[in-house]
Amino acid sequence: AQSVTQLGSHVSVSEGALVLLRCNYSSSVPPYLFWYVQYPNQGLQLLLKYTSAATLVKGINGFEAEFKKSETSFHLTKPSAHMSDAAEYFCAVSGLANTGNQFYFGTGTSLTVIP
Amino acid sequence: KAGVTQTPRYLIKTRGQQVTLSCSPISGHRSVSWYQQTPGQGLQFLFEYFSETQRNKGNFPGRFSGRQFSNSRSEMNVSTLELGDSALYLCASSLSLNVGTYEQYFGPGTRLTVT
């Protein structure tokens, strides 16, 4: 069963425009949720995480995400895109029942920023 | 604090050979997870080690194996390499004191090419 779904494998935005990357999870119990970014030929870097504290989570580089239990969503946003935001973004979930510390990653969304 | 390191960064092997990849986690982290990343399959979980014990395992053939040492350093081994094993292999470490609540920190990866 797919634990994390990222809608849109490719997203293009103009520089200065709003960035919205979508992530939905499938779990009856709110899990722990994460967003990671991957630049070419590099590992994944943590942007932010949700661990049942505030539903609006602020991360690095101006990104934030809102946990919405009713919509089982954890979408990533940034008010104004920069050229340096062009990268691959992954949503991940952990803490699912009987899975130990295993992380489940979405298929990723490639963000292109148009000058 | 030093990040997760992986060696080697690049590797070229021939079909049928075997390979060993190494990962040194962040100091104090006892959990090490391994992932295979390919353009077609995305990020796939291989296995996780915690205190020298394999705690979780993904859906990979037995040719893929791993181990963790008492200093938390981990190695993964792939025997009888196939062309389809060409991928970026990522290692991630975590405190993992409370299951699922701690983020994973990724190394830069080892790019394996099988010819």
Side-chain angles (χ1 to χ4, degrees):
Chain A
Q2 186 69 28
S3 302
V4 178
T5 302
Q6 290 185 243
L7 295 175
S9 57
H10 298 276
V11 171
S12 293
V13 300
S14 298
E15 191 175 14
L18 171 72
V19 176
L20 171 61
L21 304 181
R22 300 177 187 273
C23 173
N24 288 86
Y25 66 92
S26 54
S27 171
S28 58
V29 176
Y32 305 109
L33 294 156
F34 307 82
W35 275 99
Y36 284 84
V37 61
Q38 185 179 32
Y39 298 101
N41 299 314
Q42 294 187 28
L44 277 68
Q45 179 184 3
L46 180 71
L47 277 175
L48 48 82
K49 66 176 182 178
Y50 167 77
T51 55
S52 76
T55 56
L56 182 61
V57 181
K58 294 188 183 299
I60 63 171
N61 301 339
F63 284 94
E64 62 182 38
E66 186 172 7
F67 173 74
K68 291 187 177 180
K69 183 179 177 181
S70 60
E71 299 177 7
T72 60
S73 69
F74 190 57
H75 302 331
L76 181 71
T77 60
K78 182 174 181 178
S80 176
H82 294 175
M83 295 299 294
S84 60
D85 294 328
E88 186 89 15
Y89 291 80
F90 293 91
C91 181
V93 62
S94 71
L96 300 177
N98 304 316
T99 63
N101 192 44
Q102 187 167 337
F103 275 55
Y104 293 88
F105 285 85
T107 51
T109 298
S110 178
L111 176 66
T112 299
V113 182
I114 304 166
Chain B
K1 197 180 261 190
V4 179
T5 58
Q6 292 186 246
T7 57
R9 290 293 311 278
Y10 302 92
L11 206 49
I12 299 175
K13 290 287 188 178
T14 304
R15 267 183 307 175
Q17 288 186 314
Q18 75 163 13
V19 66
T20 298
L21 312 182
S22 181
C23 171
S24 292
I26 292 172
S27 177
H29 286 192
R30 293 163 61 189
S31 167
V32 173
S33 298
W34 288 89
Y35 298 85
Q36 181 195 67
Q37 186 178 28
T38 59
Q41 300 296 320
L43 270 165
Q44 295 191 88
F45 172 74
L46 280 155
F47 28 66
E48 183 217 359
Y49 285 86
F50 181 80
S51 293
E52 302 179 66
T53 301
Q54 188 180 85
R55 190 159 66 172
N56 284 303
K57 189 178 189 305
N59 188 27
F60 276 80
R63 300 186 297 108
F64 292 82
S65 63
R67 59 178 176 169
Q68 187 180 33
F69 302 95
S70 58
N71 61 359
S72 293
R73 189 177 71 85
S74 177
E75 290 181 346
M76 68 162 282
N77 183 278
V78 187
S79 62
T80 320
L81 284 166
E82 300 177 359
L83 294 177
D85 296 333
S86 294
L88 181 67
Y89 290 88
L90 293 165
C91 164
S93 76
S94 171
L95 275 172
S96 188
L97 296 177
N98 293 315
V99 167
T101 60
Y102 286 90
E103 58 271 28
Q104 294 190 345
Y105 293 88
F106 283 79
T110 294
R111 172 75 63 187
L112 172 64
T113 302
V114 182
T115 61

Short mmCIF file of all heavy atoms in Angstrom, two decimals, chain A residues 25 29-35 46-58 65-69 73-74 92-94, chain B residues 100-103:
data_model
loop_
_atom_site.label_atom_id
_atom_site.label_comp_id
_atom_site.label_asym_id
_atom_site.label_seq_id
_atom_site.Cartn_x
_atom_site.Cartn_y
_atom_site.Cartn_z
N TYR A 25 -0.67 11.42 2.66
CA TYR A 25 -0.24 10.18 3.29
C TYR A 25 -1.47 9.30 3.53
O TYR A 25 -2.60 9.77 3.57
CB TYR A 25 0.47 10.46 4.61
CG TYR A 25 -0.42 11.07 5.67
CD1 TYR A 25 -1.10 10.28 6.59
CD2 TYR A 25 -0.57 12.45 5.76
CE1 TYR A 25 -1.93 10.83 7.54
CE2 TYR A 25 -1.41 13.01 6.71
CZ TYR A 25 -2.08 12.20 7.60
OH TYR A 25 -2.91 12.76 8.54
N VAL A 29 -3.62 6.67 11.70
CA VAL A 29 -3.01 7.37 12.83
C VAL A 29 -2.02 8.38 12.29
O VAL A 29 -1.17 8.02 11.47
CB VAL A 29 -2.28 6.39 13.76
CG1 VAL A 29 -1.58 7.13 14.88
CG2 VAL A 29 -3.25 5.35 14.29
N PRO A 30 -2.12 9.64 12.70
CA PRO A 30 -1.17 10.63 12.18
C PRO A 30 0.26 10.19 12.39
O PRO A 30 0.70 9.96 13.51
CB PRO A 30 -1.50 11.89 13.00
CG PRO A 30 -2.93 11.71 13.38
CD PRO A 30 -3.11 10.24 13.60
N PRO A 31 1.00 10.08 11.32
CA PRO A 31 2.39 9.65 11.42
C PRO A 31 3.32 10.84 11.61
O PRO A 31 2.87 11.95 11.85
CB PRO A 31 2.62 9.01 10.06
CG PRO A 31 1.80 9.88 9.13
CD PRO A 31 0.59 10.31 9.94
N TYR A 32 4.61 10.58 11.51
CA TYR A 32 5.59 11.64 11.47
C TYR A 32 5.88 11.93 9.99
O TYR A 32 6.05 11.01 9.20
CB TYR A 32 6.86 11.22 12.19
CG TYR A 32 6.58 10.78 13.61
CD1 TYR A 32 6.68 9.46 13.99
CD2 TYR A 32 6.19 11.72 14.56
CE1 TYR A 32 6.39 9.06 15.28
CE2 TYR A 32 5.90 11.33 15.87
CZ TYR A 32 6.00 10.00 16.20
OH TYR A 32 5.72 9.60 17.48
N LEU A 33 5.92 13.18 9.63
CA LEU A 33 6.04 13.57 8.24
C LEU A 33 7.24 14.47 8.01
O LEU A 33 7.58 15.29 8.87
CB LEU A 33 4.77 14.28 7.77
CG LEU A 33 3.52 13.39 7.75
CD1 LEU A 33 2.27 14.23 7.87
CD2 LEU A 33 3.50 12.55 6.49
N PHE A 34 7.87 14.30 6.87
CA PHE A 34 9.10 15.02 6.58
C PHE A 34 9.10 15.47 5.12
O PHE A 34 8.51 14.83 4.26
CB PHE A 34 10.33 14.12 6.80
CG PHE A 34 10.38 13.45 8.15
CD1 PHE A 34 9.66 12.29 8.39
CD2 PHE A 34 11.17 13.97 9.15
CE1 PHE A 34 9.70 11.67 9.64
CE2 PHE A 34 11.24 13.35 10.39
CZ PHE A 34 10.50 12.21 10.64
N TRP A 35 9.79 16.56 4.87
CA TRP A 35 10.13 16.97 3.52
C TRP A 35 11.65 17.05 3.41
O TRP A 35 12.31 17.63 4.27
CB TRP A 35 9.53 18.32 3.16
CG TRP A 35 8.11 18.26 2.66
CD1 TRP A 35 6.98 18.51 3.35
CD2 TRP A 35 7.70 17.94 1.33
NE1 TRP A 35 5.88 18.36 2.55
CE2 TRP A 35 6.29 18.02 1.30
CE3 TRP A 35 8.38 17.61 0.15
CZ2 TRP A 35 5.54 17.77 0.15
CZ3 TRP A 35 7.64 17.36 -1.00
CH2 TRP A 35 6.24 17.45 -0.99
N LEU A 46 17.25 17.48 4.93
CA LEU A 46 15.98 17.70 5.60
C LEU A 46 15.56 19.17 5.50
O LEU A 46 16.33 20.07 5.84
CB LEU A 46 16.08 17.30 7.08
CG LEU A 46 14.82 17.50 7.91
CD1 LEU A 46 13.75 16.47 7.49
CD2 LEU A 46 15.13 17.36 9.40
N LEU A 47 14.34 19.39 5.03
CA LEU A 47 13.77 20.74 4.97
C LEU A 47 12.98 21.05 6.23
O LEU A 47 13.11 22.11 6.82
CB LEU A 47 12.83 20.87 3.78
CG LEU A 47 13.43 21.16 2.41
CD1 LEU A 47 12.33 21.13 1.36
CD2 LEU A 47 14.16 22.49 2.39
N LEU A 48 12.12 20.10 6.62
CA LEU A 48 11.30 20.29 7.80
C LEU A 48 10.66 18.96 8.20
O LEU A 48 10.68 18.01 7.42
CB LEU A 48 10.21 21.36 7.55
CG LEU A 48 9.38 21.25 6.28
CD1 LEU A 48 8.25 20.25 6.43
CD2 LEU A 48 8.82 22.62 5.89
N LYS A 49 10.09 18.95 9.42
CA LYS A 49 9.44 17.73 9.89
C LYS A 49 8.25 18.07 10.76
O LYS A 49 8.22 19.12 11.42
CB LYS A 49 10.42 16.87 10.68
CG LYS A 49 10.89 17.49 11.99
CD LYS A 49 11.78 16.53 12.77
CE LYS A 49 12.21 17.14 14.10
NZ LYS A 49 13.05 16.20 14.90
N TYR A 50 7.27 17.20 10.76
CA TYR A 50 6.10 17.30 11.61
C TYR A 50 6.09 16.11 12.54
O TYR A 50 6.13 14.96 12.11
CB TYR A 50 4.82 17.29 10.77
CG TYR A 50 3.58 17.10 11.60
CD1 TYR A 50 3.05 18.13 12.35
CD2 TYR A 50 2.97 15.85 11.67
CE1 TYR A 50 1.93 17.94 13.14
CE2 TYR A 50 1.85 15.64 12.46
CZ TYR A 50 1.34 16.69 13.19
OH TYR A 50 0.24 16.50 13.98
N THR A 51 6.02 16.41 13.85
CA THR A 51 6.00 15.32 14.82
C THR A 51 4.92 15.56 15.87
O THR A 51 5.14 15.35 17.05
CB THR A 51 7.36 15.15 15.50
OG1 THR A 51 7.75 16.41 16.09
CG2 THR A 51 8.42 14.71 14.53
N SER A 52 3.77 16.02 15.44
CA SER A 52 2.55 16.20 16.24
C SER A 52 2.56 17.41 17.16
O SER A 52 1.74 17.47 18.06
CB SER A 52 2.23 14.93 17.05
OG SER A 52 3.08 14.81 18.15
N ALA A 53 3.45 18.33 16.96
CA ALA A 53 3.40 19.58 17.71
C ALA A 53 2.54 20.55 16.89
O ALA A 53 1.40 20.27 16.62
CB ALA A 53 4.79 20.11 17.96
N ALA A 54 3.06 21.67 16.49
CA ALA A 54 2.30 22.63 15.70
C ALA A 54 1.99 22.05 14.32
O ALA A 54 2.80 21.35 13.74
CB ALA A 54 3.09 23.92 15.54
N THR A 55 0.80 22.35 13.81
CA THR A 55 0.42 21.82 12.50
C THR A 55 1.08 22.58 11.36
O THR A 55 1.23 22.05 10.27
CB THR A 55 -1.10 21.87 12.31
OG1 THR A 55 -1.55 23.22 12.51
CG2 THR A 55 -1.80 20.96 13.30
N LEU A 56 1.48 23.83 11.61
CA LEU A 56 2.22 24.59 10.61
C LEU A 56 3.70 24.53 10.99
O LEU A 56 4.10 25.00 12.04
CB LEU A 56 1.74 26.04 10.55
CG LEU A 56 2.41 26.92 9.49
CD1 LEU A 56 2.14 26.37 8.10
CD2 LEU A 56 1.92 28.36 9.62
N VAL A 57 4.47 23.95 10.11
CA VAL A 57 5.88 23.72 10.40
C VAL A 57 6.74 24.59 9.49
O VAL A 57 6.54 24.60 8.28
CB VAL A 57 6.23 22.23 10.18
CG1 VAL A 57 7.70 21.99 10.52
CG2 VAL A 57 5.34 21.33 11.00
N LYS A 58 7.65 25.28 10.09
CA LYS A 58 8.57 26.10 9.29
C LYS A 58 9.90 25.40 9.17
O LYS A 58 10.40 24.80 10.14
CB LYS A 58 8.75 27.47 9.94
CG LYS A 58 7.48 28.31 9.94
CD LYS A 58 7.72 29.72 10.41
CE LYS A 58 6.41 30.51 10.46
NZ LYS A 58 5.76 30.61 9.13
N ALA A 65 5.29 23.88 5.79
CA ALA A 65 4.30 22.87 5.42
C ALA A 65 3.24 22.83 6.49
O ALA A 65 3.51 23.07 7.67
CB ALA A 65 4.96 21.50 5.26
N GLU A 66 2.02 22.53 6.06
CA GLU A 66 0.91 22.47 7.00
C GLU A 66 0.34 21.07 7.04
O GLU A 66 -0.02 20.50 6.00
CB GLU A 66 -0.19 23.46 6.62
CG GLU A 66 -1.31 23.52 7.65
CD GLU A 66 -2.30 24.62 7.38
OE1 GLU A 66 -2.22 25.26 6.31
OE2 GLU A 66 -3.17 24.85 8.24
N PHE A 67 0.25 20.52 8.23
CA PHE A 67 -0.34 19.20 8.43
C PHE A 67 -1.86 19.38 8.55
O PHE A 67 -2.33 20.11 9.41
CB PHE A 67 0.21 18.55 9.69
CG PHE A 67 -0.47 17.27 10.07
CD1 PHE A 67 -0.25 16.11 9.34
CD2 PHE A 67 -1.35 17.22 11.16
CE1 PHE A 67 -0.87 14.93 9.68
CE2 PHE A 67 -1.98 16.03 11.49
CZ PHE A 67 -1.73 14.89 10.75
N LYS A 68 -2.59 18.69 7.66
CA LYS A 68 -4.05 18.74 7.71
C LYS A 68 -4.57 17.32 7.84
O LYS A 68 -4.62 16.57 6.85
CB LYS A 68 -4.61 19.41 6.46
CG LYS A 68 -4.32 20.90 6.37
CD LYS A 68 -5.05 21.54 5.19
CE LYS A 68 -4.82 23.04 5.17
NZ LYS A 68 -5.51 23.69 4.01
N LYS A 69 -4.97 16.98 9.05
CA LYS A 69 -5.43 15.62 9.31
C LYS A 69 -6.68 15.27 8.50
O LYS A 69 -6.79 14.17 7.96
CB LYS A 69 -5.71 15.44 10.80
CG LYS A 69 -6.12 14.05 11.21
CD LYS A 69 -6.35 13.96 12.69
CE LYS A 69 -6.83 12.56 13.09
NZ LYS A 69 -7.09 12.49 14.56
N SER A 73 -3.01 15.45 4.43
CA SER A 73 -2.06 16.12 3.54
C SER A 73 -0.96 16.81 4.33
O SER A 73 -1.11 17.13 5.52
CB SER A 73 -2.78 17.14 2.66
OG SER A 73 -3.24 18.24 3.44
N PHE A 74 0.12 17.05 3.65
CA PHE A 74 1.28 17.74 4.24
C PHE A 74 2.00 18.45 3.09
O PHE A 74 3.11 18.12 2.72
CB PHE A 74 2.19 16.73 4.94
CG PHE A 74 3.28 17.36 5.79
CD1 PHE A 74 2.97 18.24 6.82
CD2 PHE A 74 4.62 17.05 5.56
CE1 PHE A 74 3.96 18.80 7.61
CE2 PHE A 74 5.62 17.62 6.34
CZ PHE A 74 5.29 18.49 7.37
N ALA A 92 8.20 12.29 3.03
CA ALA A 92 8.43 10.99 3.65
C ALA A 92 7.59 10.87 4.91
O ALA A 92 7.24 11.87 5.56
CB ALA A 92 9.91 10.81 4.00
N VAL A 93 7.29 9.63 5.27
CA VAL A 93 6.50 9.35 6.46
C VAL A 93 7.19 8.27 7.26
O VAL A 93 7.83 7.37 6.70
CB VAL A 93 5.07 8.94 6.07
CG1 VAL A 93 5.07 7.65 5.25
CG2 VAL A 93 4.19 8.78 7.29
N SER A 94 7.08 8.34 8.57
CA SER A 94 7.58 7.28 9.44
C SER A 94 6.62 7.13 10.61
O SER A 94 5.66 7.89 10.73
CB SER A 94 8.99 7.58 9.95
OG SER A 94 8.95 8.64 10.89
N GLY B 100 10.70 6.35 14.95
CA GLY B 100 9.99 7.14 13.97
C GLY B 100 10.03 8.64 14.20
O GLY B 100 9.70 9.39 13.29
N THR B 101 10.41 9.10 15.38
CA THR B 101 10.30 10.53 15.63
C THR B 101 11.53 11.31 15.20
O THR B 101 11.48 12.52 15.07
CB THR B 101 10.08 10.81 17.13
OG1 THR B 101 11.19 10.27 17.86
CG2 THR B 101 8.81 10.16 17.61
N TYR B 102 12.61 10.60 14.98
CA TYR B 102 13.84 11.30 14.65
C TYR B 102 14.10 11.26 13.15
O TYR B 102 13.99 10.23 12.52
CB TYR B 102 15.02 10.68 15.40
CG TYR B 102 15.01 11.04 16.86
CD1 TYR B 102 14.35 10.26 17.78
CD2 TYR B 102 15.65 12.19 17.30
CE1 TYR B 102 14.33 10.60 19.12
CE2 TYR B 102 15.63 12.54 18.64
CZ TYR B 102 14.96 11.74 19.54
OH TYR B 102 14.94 12.09 20.86
N GLU B 103 14.49 12.42 12.63
CA GLU B 103 14.75 12.52 11.21
C GLU B 103 15.99 11.71 10.83
O GLU B 103 16.84 11.42 11.67
CB GLU B 103 14.94 13.97 10.79
CG GLU B 103 16.06 14.70 11.50
CD GLU B 103 15.61 15.37 12.79
OE1 GLU B 103 14.64 14.88 13.42
OE2 GLU B 103 16.22 16.37 13.17
#
